Amino acid sequence: MQKLVDIVVQKTGLSQDQAQAAVQAVLDHIKGKLPPAIAGQVDALIEGDGSGVEGEVESLAKNALGGFLSKL
């Protein structure tokens, strides 16, 4: 997850704490829309090495964060 937080910091200028909160809010929102079995896999993908899916997760998170951050 730290990689996503770092991307948000770089792209938005938010502080680490603000970026962490934004990433967590988006992930919680996404997980809330998914069935529990799949929602649990989101954490594994974010915290794991993400081999093969990291780019997809990052892209999804960036798109979601873009909408969220535009409302700040």
Side-chain angles (χ1 to χ4, degrees):
M1 184 161 79
Q2 187 57 45
K3 187 172 181 179
L4 287 174
V5 171
D6 292 341
I7 290 169
V8 172
V9 168
Q10 290 173 345
K11 300 231 180 234
T12 65
L14 293 173
S15 71
Q16 283 283 327
D17 289 340
Q18 291 171 319
Q20 176 77 34
V23 169
Q24 191 62 55
V26 170
L27 291 176
D28 289 346
H29 178 75
I30 291 170
K31 290 187 296 186
K33 301 288 184 184
L34 297 171
I38 295 173
Q41 294 178 10
V42 171
D43 288 327
L45 287 170
I46 296 299
E47 298 300 333
D49 67 17
S51 59
V53 295
E54 184 177 58
E56 293 298 321
V57 172
E58 277 187 30
S59 177
L60 238 161
K62 284 180 191 177
N63 289 337
L65 280 173
F68 176 77
L69 294 174
S70 68
K71 295 179 182 180
L72 291 179

